[in-house]
Amino acid sequence: MSAMRWWIDGTPTPLLAALERDPNAVLAGPGSTPRERTGRKRFYRVEDPEGGPALYVKSFQGPRGAAAWLRRSRARREARIARRVAERGFAAARPIAWAEERRAGRLLRSLVVIPERPLRNLRAWLSDPATAGATRRRLLQSFAGLMRRLHDAGVDQDNSSPKNFLVDPEGDWVLIDFERCRLGRPLGTRRWTLLAKLQRHDLGVSNSERLRFLRSYLDQDGERLGRREAWAKIARAFLAIRRRDARHATRAAFRPGRRIGRDGRTWYVKGREQAPVIRLSLGPARSRAVWTLCHVYERLRLPALRPVRLDDQGVDLQVPELDEHAMEFHGAVARARRRFEPYGSFVREPQWALTPSGAVLLTPDAFRLRL
């Protein structure tokens, strides 16, 4: 019989007490909103029926094999890292409780509970058209200073997602999500990889804003050469990350699971079965190549049609919402081509469609990836 043990590091509330008594009932109840499952983790937002702050609950499945007896739980590790980050002088969303469910010493599941903070994350601020230019500049400058202090303090936040940095308009920051965070000595060359990972996320910032961020991070306003060298290091790290992303997308394109389904000799992307499509009848080999290419493009966030279905005779690609403003076509195509440039070259003249978000590539195999 399994048993769950709890550790409480916050003010007890009726909702937290209910989680202690029966977490399964609370997480399956009407006030609980599950998020998309990722790997062996599930994420829930639980409303407080008495009007208190909502709670975020992460549920981690235990590791497989002998590690289920040997490793400490992911929930306990996240709580420990959050506490140590706070001890280094940073505002962190610390868990108020965590739990481990074991059977005969074997870890089955662990939970971590974090109170909701009424703050927007960096991505929400920068992607909001209502955010004024002065506020954007202040946020980016403040964020650059925060990243520099974190790296100098030895905080290696591997998942450097803008969603993991909460901020108010005055630039006061709160860090969240410490699953993939490590603490050690001040970061050396590792900092360029972490800064490159930020470039993968769609922040809605211009190249001039990226350079302004880097200048603030380096704090070397008068040293042009230093900024150029730093930018070159970040660019190399960025391409290395994108090569790994491309390899991962290539393997995942033919791996049935949470996102990819298979029905006999037909492959499909779950959730897109009813999408309007265009059919490319290319034969087995070219169809598989285009299917794989489209998955890589999607992973790299390149403007191309999204894959829907593959069989032996062809591949179906999702029809985009079109925009009739033909006068903007050439500028939109030029911007789309620039996004492809770091990853290879066009081997023949491509075809494009204009959508409300810009031009998208209609002929996936017109581009040759070189990663």
Side-chain angles (χ1 to χ4, degrees):
M1 184 175 178
S2 63
M4 180 165 285
R5 181 184 178 188
W6 282 86
W7 289 264
I8 306 298
D9 189 26
T11 304
T13 65
L15 179 57
L16 186 56
L19 275 168
E20 284 188 79
R21 288 192 302 270
D22 192 347
N24 294 331
V26 173
L27 297 180
S32 174
T33 305
R35 305 290 176 88
E36 183 181 6
R37 181 172 181 169
T38 55
R40 298 174 65 80
K41 177 185 73 175
R42 288 194 174 183
F43 191 65
Y44 303 83
R45 183 182 183 273
V46 184
E47 293 277 1
D48 189 335
E50 299 188 4
L55 299 179
Y56 289 111
V57 181
K58 293 182 186 179
S59 175
F60 304 100
Q61 290 183 341
R64 299 184 177 95
W69 282 273
L70 300 177
R71 288 183 188 170
R72 60 179 65 176
S73 70
R74 292 171 66 181
R76 183 183 296 195
R77 181 186 181 278
E78 180 161 354
R80 178 176 59 87
I81 293 292
R83 183 180 67 252
R84 292 177 60 188
V85 168
E87 290 171 353
R88 298 193 180 197
F90 301 97
R94 293 177 55 178
I96 59 173
W98 59 96
E100 294 178 353
E101 183 179 4
R102 294 182 181 271
R103 178 185 296 143
R106 181 175 184 269
L107 180 63
L108 303 179
R109 178 177 61 156
S110 62
L111 303 175
V112 63
V113 183
I114 305 167
E116 184 179 55
R117 296 291 188 98
L119 296 173
R120 300 175 75 187
N121 62 54
L122 177 63
R123 181 176 181 179
W125 277 109
L126 294 179
S127 61
D128 187 351
T131 303
T135 302
R136 292 173 64 89
R137 289 190 292 272
R138 185 167 62 248
L139 286 174
L140 285 171
Q141 184 175 9
S142 177
F143 182 56
L146 172 69
M147 293 298 290
R148 181 61 183 262
R149 293 194 302 275
L150 286 169
H151 295 168
D152 289 345
V155 180
D156 186 339
Q157 179 75 311
D158 187 63
N159 186 17
S160 297
S161 169
K163 293 183 178 180
N164 292 339
F165 299 92
L166 307 182
V167 60
D168 63 22
E170 303 304 317
D172 293 326
W173 297 89
V174 177
L175 279 65
I176 62 174
D177 194 355
F178 300 97
E179 288 179 49
R180 302 178 64 185
C181 183
R182 293 175 294 179
L183 301 178
R185 298 177 179 177
L187 304 185
T189 57
R190 168 71 177 167
R191 69 181 66 225
W192 310 122
T193 299
L194 296 180
L195 291 174
K197 287 188 174 184
L198 278 174
Q199 309 300 317
R200 288 194 303 178
H201 300 280
D202 184 13
L203 285 176
V205 298
S206 64
N207 286 335
S208 61
E209 288 175 321
R210 294 178 190 275
L211 291 172
R212 192 179 300 121
F213 167 86
L214 180 61
R215 184 169 62 244
S216 298
Y217 178 91
L218 295 173
D219 196 24
Q220 295 177 348
D221 291 351
E223 297 187 14
R224 273 187 174 281
L225 182 60
R227 293 202 298 272
R228 284 200 295 267
E229 289 177 346
W231 188 257
K233 293 175 181 177
I234 294 171
R236 287 195 294 270
F238 177 79
L239 285 177
I241 292 167
R242 281 315 204 188
R243 290 189 193 100
R244 290 195 293 270
D245 288 341
R247 289 195 295 269
H248 176 82
T250 299
R251 294 191 297 268
F254 293 97
R255 181 185 296 159
R258 179 171 56 89
R259 184 168 180 268
I260 301 297
R262 185 179 184 182
D263 183 8
R265 299 177 66 86
T266 299
W267 300 81
Y268 59 92
V269 178
K270 295 179 181 179
R272 299 181 190 166
E273 295 92 338
Q274 305 302 319
V277 300
I278 59 172
R279 177 76 169 175
L280 300 183
S281 300
L282 305 172
R286 282 189 66 195
S287 295
R288 288 176 68 90
V290 167
W291 170 262
T292 304
L293 265 178
C294 288
H295 280 279
V296 174
Y297 293 157
E298 189 170 6
R299 176 80 178 197
L300 300 183
R301 297 180 183 273
L302 293 176
L305 297 183
R306 300 198 298 176
V308 175
R309 189 179 299 104
L310 167 73
D311 56 38
D312 288 341
Q313 302 305 316
V315 59
D316 294 337
L317 304 179
Q318 186 170 352
V319 176
E321 179 186 355
L322 299 180
D323 192 328
E324 301 300 327
H325 297 295
M327 292 178 60
E328 302 176 4
F329 182 79
H330 295 294
V333 168
R335 289 190 292 272
R337 292 185 73 113
R338 284 196 294 270
R339 291 178 60 181
F340 277 90
E341 283 176 0
Y343 305 111
S345 60
F346 287 97
V347 294
R348 58 186 175 86
E349 189 60 30
Q351 297 179 25
W352 302 88
L354 191 61
T355 73
S357 59
V360 296
L361 182 64
L362 291 176
T363 49
D365 54 353
F367 186 76
R368 179 173 295 168
L369 280 168
R370 293 190 178 93
L371 284 175

